[in-house]
């Protein structure tokens, strides 16, 4: 834009799919992932960028190890903290784009000096799960190292509000959508339940940047996010999840925006897309114009992949005519692998450029993958060696000593199957599931497609297996089986006339119904609705109320005292060995008890004498009473007796060393999406939620952007 200078340029380092923690127990490759991530963060400091944008999968595991978390936190602290003032000005309300206890951007925190803020969404590897539904990024946000935005608490009702930043005269609207199951997200977009909000003030002056973490290619009919689903007002989309590095912006003529796919910073599978050289991008935004400069990563282990067809190799065809050709064929393939190793070493040296390195520094052992299609020609035979034994010949030369070669054949004609043998997936499907790239859900789906379950729903079965394997949820399968069997039994009990002919039909109907509930996301909502809310002062570590709430009743999470009293077994201690203690002060008026749920514990019959004994157990305790007389474990000292922490200054009141941008943030009114325009009467209008047909062009109001569904469903 004319009149803008370098002082108006926002420089952003972009990286995706760092997968810190991948193969961390491998003796050779254990440090690859965090080394490449550290290089990315060092580049941010070296290039003097204003911020770093990560588009998901910072960690490889849902529960990263201490080593992985330590390496990430160390790298962030080394490169992101400092006295350099952050020149970005936060214009939006942090409570609407960030969640948790620290609902403000980290560089405006008066307790820490952040020079380069990091903004990140979560991917499918590091998504929220478990107690509290927390992600690894929540820990980094609580530590003040990362700004975790773009959360998707409801997968069937997504509202995307941007983080509004400004530097000089350049305004940046940073959108983010963390990973959602592809099939579910496809349905949510298709049903028009994704709403994008736009800043109403000076709408045409904002540069709209969005990061997503979804499948970009149509692996299945609904297992991806079409680019046409995204709104047309976007200027640039950063696409995570796809590991192939396509760093140059690609223009989408239909949608009128560009797409950048940085790819992963470490190879997590031996596939062609991973063999492309790894890069990160430095995005420079000036007004509505942008420029992308690419930087090749130097710490990435070299990777060369090649695929050959033996029937097309002259030397191999000559060997196929011999009866015993294993040794000669092995030497032929060894020569190809040796040439690939030399190629990998040369590529690594070229990537280092003119940079000086220590004489003692060795070239890292490369990753080598040779795929061999060994379908023999007519009248010939290929006697191939065992792939692992062949790979072990390159011990000390390659990093992947167990899977250098992969043999496969063309799909053969249909073989006759024994009557009692289980049905198997197509050979082509199994061939595509290489051992280093296999996904549990895909493998389960392929087998279930062939087998076809009768009682248990197939789509949620694959999800439960994935939760058990990938997310380390030890109770996922148990919960899945018990829950679905219970529903099937309840469905059968509702039948009036039961005979052997219609039982199977009824079970099939119920199974289909459960599959529809899971696919639409309603099953997760039902599970969430069944969970009774914890008290506001609940401590998940102690499984009870906070100790600094002296008037609180330490009890289970039942909603009312009647259910609580009726469900207590006579003369038995509670969980954690605690006794139920009535509050000394008058408690708040009890809420109207909701009707008991089916099969709830409140329906159990309790003998009147037992209830009287339980009433006697509820005793009053003063602060001086001796709890040891109750034969229970003493309570820990209350935190209420500690000296209260000093009240900290608001986040907007920053030290003078933080630069002019931070000081101006307190003077300028924050942009807020939450307040409806109807409540502002005469004042500056805030965000207003309207339908697609009610969108106004008032530049003084915050308003949702036109839904992608409304503009594309008719095409």
């Amino acid at each position: 834009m004319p009149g803008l200078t370098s002082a108006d340029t926002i420089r952003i380092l972009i990286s995706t799919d760092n997968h810190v923690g991948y193969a961390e127990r491998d003796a050779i490759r254990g440090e690859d992932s965090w080394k490449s991530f550290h290089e990315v963060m060092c580049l941010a400091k070296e290039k003097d960028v204003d911020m770093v944008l990560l588009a998901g999968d910072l960690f490889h595991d849902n529960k990263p190890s201490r080593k992985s978390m330590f390496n990430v936190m160390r790298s962030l602290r080394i490169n992101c903290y400092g006295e350099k003032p952050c020149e970005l000005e936060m214009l939006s309300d942090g409570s609407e784009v960030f969640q948790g206890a620290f609902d403000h951007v980290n560089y405006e925190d008066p307790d820490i000096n952040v020079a380069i803020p990091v903004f990140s969404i979560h991917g499918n590897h590091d998504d929220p799960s478990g107690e509290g539904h927390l992600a690894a990024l929540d820990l980094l946000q609580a530590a003040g190292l990362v700004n975790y935005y773009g959360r998707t608490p409801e997968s069937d009702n997504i509202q995307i509000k941007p983080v509004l930043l400004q530097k000089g005269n350049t305004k940046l609207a940073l959108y983010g959508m963390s990973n959602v199951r592809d099939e579910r997200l496809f349905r949510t977009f298709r049903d028009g339940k994704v709403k994008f909000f736009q800043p109403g003030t000076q709408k045409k002056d904002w540069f709209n940047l969005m990061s997503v973490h979804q499948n970009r290619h149509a692996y299945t009919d609904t297992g991806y996010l079409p680019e046409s689903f995204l709104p047309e007002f976007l200027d640039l989309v950063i696409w995570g999840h796809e590991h192939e590095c396509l760093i140059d912006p690609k223009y989408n003529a239909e949608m009128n925006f560009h797409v950048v796919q940085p790819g992963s910073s470490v190879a997590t599978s031996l596939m062609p897309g991973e063999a492309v050289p790894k890069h990160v991008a430095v995005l420079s935004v000036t007004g509505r114009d942008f420029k992308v400069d690419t930087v090749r990563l130097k710490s990435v282990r070299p990777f060369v992949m090649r695929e050959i067809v033996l029937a097309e190799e002259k030397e191999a065809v000559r060997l196929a005519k011999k009866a015993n050709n294993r040794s000669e064929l092995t030497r032929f393939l060894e020569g190809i692998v040796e040439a690939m190793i030399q190629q990998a070493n040369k590529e690594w040296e070229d990537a280092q450029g003119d940079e000086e390195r220590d004489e003692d520094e060795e070239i890292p052992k490369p990753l080598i993958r040779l795929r061999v299609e060994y379908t023999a020609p007519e009248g010939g035979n290929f006697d191939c060696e065992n792939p692992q034994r062949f790979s072990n010949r390159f011990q000390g030369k390659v990093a992947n000593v167990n899977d250098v070669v992969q043999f496969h054949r063309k799909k053969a004609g249909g073989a006759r199957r024994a009557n009692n043998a289980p049905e198997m997936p197509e050979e082509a499907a199994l061939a595509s599931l290489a051992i280093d790239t296999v996904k549990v859900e895909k493998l389960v789906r392929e087998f279930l497609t062939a087998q076809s379950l009768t009682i248990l729903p197939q789509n949620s079965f694959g999800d439960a297996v994935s939760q058990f394997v990938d997310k380390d949820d030890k109770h996922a399968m148990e919960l899945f089986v018990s829950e679905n069997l219970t529903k099937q039994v309840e469905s059968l009990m509702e039948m009036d006339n039961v005979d052997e002919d219609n039982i199977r039909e009824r079970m099939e109907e119920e199974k289909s119904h459960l599959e529809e509930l899971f696919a639409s996301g309603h099953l997760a909502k039902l599970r969430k609705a069944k969970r009774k809310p914890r008290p506001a002062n609940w401590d998940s570590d102690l499984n009870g109320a906070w100790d600094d709430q002296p008037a609180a009743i330490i009890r289970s999470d039942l909603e009312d005292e009647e259910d609580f009293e009726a469900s207590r077994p006579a003369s038995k201690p509670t969980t954690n060995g605690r006794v139920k203690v009535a509050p000394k002060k008058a408690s708040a008026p009890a809420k109207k008890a909701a009707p008991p749920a089916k099969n709830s514990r409140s329906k159990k019959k309790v003998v009147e004498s037992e209830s009287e004994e339980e009433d006697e157990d509820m005793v009053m305790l003063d602060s001086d009473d001796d709890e040891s007389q109750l034969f229970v474990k003493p309570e820990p000292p209350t935190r209420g007796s500690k000296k209260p922490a000093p009240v900290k200054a608001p986040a907007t009141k920053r030290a003078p060393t933080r630069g002019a941008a931070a000081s101006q943030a307190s003077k300028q009114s924050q942009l807020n999406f939450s307040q409806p325009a109807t409540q502002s009467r005469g004042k500056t209008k805030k965000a207003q939620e309207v339908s697609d047909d009610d969108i106004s062009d008032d530049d003084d109001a915050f308003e949702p952007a036109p839904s992608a569904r409304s503009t594309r469903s008719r095409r």
Side-chain angles (χ1 to χ4, degrees):
M1 293 179 64
L4 299 181
T5 64
S6 59
D8 303 311
T9 301
I10 301 178
R11 290 167 52 80
I12 308 171
L13 182 75
I14 298 174
S15 178
T16 67
D17 296 272
N18 306 108
H19 286 274
V20 177
Y22 172 75
E24 62 182 343
R25 295 188 178 182
D26 189 286
I28 301 176
R29 306 168 62 187
E31 298 182 348
D32 287 3
S33 59
W34 72 261
K35 278 185 176 179
S36 60
F37 174 73
H38 183 62
E39 182 185 2
V40 171
M41 298 312 302
C42 288
L43 284 172
K45 189 173 184 179
E46 176 186 335
K47 300 295 183 181
D48 193 26
V49 298
D50 296 300
M51 58 177 282
V52 176
L53 179 60
L54 305 177
D57 280 355
L58 171 58
F59 294 98
H60 183 70
D61 295 317
N62 184 262
K63 299 177 182 178
S65 65
R66 293 180 182 177
K67 181 180 179 182
S68 298
M69 183 64 72
F70 167 77
N71 286 320
V72 168
M73 296 180 74
R74 181 182 65 172
S75 183
L76 290 173
R77 182 168 179 177
I78 290 174
N79 296 287
C80 295
Y81 283 3
E83 292 296 332
K84 185 191 79 143
C86 180
E87 299 181 19
L88 295 176
E89 185 178 358
M90 181 78 171
L91 299 181
S92 55
D93 186 357
S95 62
E96 295 187 337
V97 291
F98 306 117
Q99 297 180 9
F102 304 95
D103 56 356
H104 57 270
V105 70
N106 64 345
Y107 62 83
E108 289 185 356
D109 196 308
D111 297 326
I112 54 178
N113 283 340
V114 177
I116 304 176
V118 178
F119 293 83
S120 178
I121 62 175
H122 75 249
N124 59 309
H125 279 257
D126 54 3
D127 55 330
S129 65
E131 182 72 21
H133 200 61
L134 298 174
L137 291 177
D138 283 297
L139 303 181
L140 298 180
Q141 184 184 39
L145 296 169
V146 164
N147 299 294
Y148 178 21
Y149 80 111
R151 304 171 193 246
T152 50
E154 295 182 70
S155 59
D156 59 346
N157 183 22
I158 300 176
Q159 296 186 357
I160 302 176
K161 297 180 180 180
V163 180
L164 302 180
L165 304 170
Q166 182 173 353
K167 179 183 177 183
N169 294 318
T170 297
K171 298 177 175 61
L172 174 66
L174 180 61
Y175 294 84
M177 183 176 63
S178 294
N179 177 263
V180 179
R181 186 183 180 93
D182 288 293
E183 291 80 7
R184 190 167 295 169
L185 183 64
F186 188 97
R187 184 178 296 104
T188 306
F189 267 100
R190 186 188 61 191
D191 296 342
K193 295 182 179 180
V194 180
K195 184 177 293 184
F196 287 80
F197 286 77
Q198 281 186 274
T201 58
Q202 301 175 342
K203 185 185 303 183
K204 296 181 180 180
D205 295 337
W206 293 88
F207 183 86
N208 300 291
L209 174 65
M210 182 174 185
S211 60
V212 299
H213 191 96
Q214 304 292 151
N215 283 334
R216 186 179 178 186
H217 305 289
Y219 298 101
T220 61
D221 292 340
T222 60
Y224 74 113
L225 174 62
E227 294 181 13
S228 58
F229 277 9
L230 298 177
E232 297 178 353
F233 67 81
L234 294 176
D235 296 298
L236 182 63
V237 178
I238 309 301
W239 209 289
H241 187 61
E242 299 286 354
H243 282 205
E244 183 178 2
C245 182
L246 303 175
I247 198 70
D248 296 323
K250 184 178 181 181
Y251 180 66
N252 187 321
E254 178 188 0
M255 305 308 302
N256 195 29
F257 57 64
H258 289 78
V259 178
V260 171
Q261 182 179 304
S264 63
S265 60
V266 62
T268 61
S269 61
L270 302 180
M271 299 295 289
E274 296 278 19
V276 179
K278 306 294 185 182
H279 292 77
V280 294
V282 177
L283 172 67
S284 300
V285 180
T286 307
R288 293 295 302 273
D289 300 327
F290 73 93
K291 182 181 69 171
V292 175
D293 297 319
T294 62
V295 182
R296 181 170 179 176
L297 298 178
K298 299 179 180 180
S299 62
V300 178
R301 188 178 298 276
F303 175 27
V304 174
M305 182 172 182
R306 183 177 172 186
E307 184 167 0
I308 65 171
V309 179
L310 290 181
E312 298 176 359
E313 301 288 335
K314 294 182 179 180
E315 179 65 19
V317 172
R318 183 183 65 81
L319 296 175
K321 299 177 181 179
K322 295 185 178 181
N324 299 321
N325 56 15
R326 172 175 295 190
S327 59
E328 295 181 76
L329 187 60
T330 300
R331 284 195 296 270
F332 170 72
L333 296 177
E334 280 182 357
I336 297 177
V337 173
E338 290 289 351
M340 295 171 66
I341 295 175
Q342 294 179 9
Q343 178 186 348
N345 293 338
K346 186 177 183 305
E347 289 180 358
W348 187 84
E349 290 179 344
D350 294 341
Q352 307 309 308
D354 299 332
E355 182 180 346
E356 296 182 1
R357 68 175 192 269
D358 298 336
E359 296 179 358
D360 298 335
E361 184 180 359
E362 296 182 357
I363 298 177
K365 298 179 180 64
L367 296 171
I368 301 296
R369 167 53 65 90
L370 176 63
R371 296 192 78 236
V372 180
E373 200 267 281
Y374 68 108
T375 305
E378 220 176 298
N381 178 50
F382 290 125
D383 187 8
C384 297
E385 190 176 18
N386 177 276
Q388 185 167 356
R389 185 181 302 169
F390 177 87
S391 301
N392 290 338
R393 294 173 180 269
F394 303 95
Q395 189 85 25
K397 296 182 179 181
V398 299
N400 54 319
V401 294
N402 293 321
D403 51 5
V404 171
V405 68
Q406 182 184 40
F407 296 109
H408 66 98
R409 285 183 174 178
K410 286 183 179 179
K411 182 180 177 181
R416 188 171 183 179
R417 181 176 61 87
N419 293 332
N420 58 349
E423 293 186 6
M424 300 294 287
E426 298 269 342
E427 281 192 27
L430 289 177
S432 64
L433 299 176
I435 191 63
D436 51 359
T437 62
V438 62
K439 291 186 178 180
V440 173
E441 284 185 86
K442 188 174 182 181
L443 185 62
V444 171
R445 184 169 62 247
E446 291 291 345
F447 274 89
L448 292 184
T449 301
Q451 292 294 113
S452 182
L453 299 179
T454 304
I455 300 177
L456 300 176
Q458 296 185 184
N459 52 0
S460 53
F461 180 79
D463 181 71
V465 175
S466 176
Q467 293 289 328
F468 179 81
V469 176
D470 298 334
K471 305 295 189 293
D472 195 26
D473 187 349
K474 299 179 181 179
H475 303 287
M477 296 302 300
E478 177 186 356
L479 178 64
F480 163 74
V481 174
S482 60
E483 184 181 69
N484 287 281
L485 288 182
T486 301
K487 293 183 183 299
Q488 286 282 14
V489 171
E490 291 177 354
S491 176
L492 293 177
M493 294 295 292
E494 294 174 357
M495 297 177 61
D496 296 331
N497 299 322
V498 180
D499 55 48
E500 296 181 359
D501 296 334
N502 58 10
I503 285 181
R504 176 178 290 273
E505 182 179 351
R506 184 58 178 263
M507 288 192 300
E508 286 282 358
E509 292 177 357
E510 181 65 19
K511 186 196 78 165
S512 301
H513 176 63
L514 292 174
E515 289 177 345
E516 292 176 0
L517 286 178
F518 177 81
S520 62
H522 291 302
L523 190 59
K525 279 190 172 182
L526 293 176
R527 291 173 182 168
K528 188 175 181 181
K530 288 182 180 179
R531 300 174 188 164
K532 298 182 179 178
R534 303 279 191 182
N537 59 337
W538 192 263
D539 185 357
S540 59
D541 293 332
L542 298 176
N543 197 24
W546 286 98
D547 293 330
D548 56 0
Q549 301 288 336
I553 298 178
I554 303 176
R555 64 189 222 183
S556 65
D557 58 347
L558 295 178
E559 291 182 345
D560 49 74
E561 295 185 8
E562 295 179 1
D563 288 346
F564 171 66
E565 290 296 329
S567 62
R568 289 185 58 196
S571 304
K572 287 187 179 181
T574 63
T575 58
N576 298 338
R578 297 186 181 184
V579 70
K580 309 300 178 185
V581 183
K584 190 171 182 179
K585 299 180 181 179
S587 59
K591 297 179 181 179
K592 184 177 180 181
K598 191 174 182 180
N599 298 330
S600 66
R601 290 188 293 174
S602 61
K603 294 181 68 176
K604 294 182 179 179
K605 295 182 179 180
V606 182
V607 182
E608 183 177 356
S609 60
E610 293 180 348
S611 300
E612 294 175 357
E613 293 177 3
E614 292 170 0
D615 293 336
E616 294 176 1
D617 290 341
M618 302 291 288
V619 296
M620 302 293 294
L621 290 181
D622 292 328
S623 58
D624 298 331
D625 288 340
D626 184 7
E627 291 184 347
S628 62
Q629 298 176 2
L630 300 177
F631 302 100
V632 296
K633 184 177 179 180
E635 295 285 297
T638 62
R639 291 192 287 273
S641 61
K642 294 183 179 179
K643 183 179 179 180
V647 179
K648 298 179 181 179
T652 56
K653 297 180 180 179
R654 300 191 52 77
T657 58
R658 301 307 300 148
S663 62
Q664 292 176 0
S666 61
K667 299 178 181 178
Q668 186 167 349
S669 61
Q670 288 186 329
L671 301 180
N672 193 323
F673 296 100
S674 60
Q675 184 177 353
T678 55
Q679 297 178 358
S680 58
R681 294 183 182 180
K683 299 181 180 180
T684 302
K685 296 182 180 179
K686 307 294 182 179
Q688 57 182 4
E689 289 190 18
V690 295
S691 63
D692 297 340
D693 299 330
D694 296 332
I695 295 174
S696 74
D697 295 329
D698 188 0
D699 286 341
D700 295 331
F702 283 91
E703 57 189 18
S707 170
R709 172 62 181 166
S710 64
T711 59
R712 301 180 182 87
S713 59
R714 303 183 182 92
R715 295 179 180 177

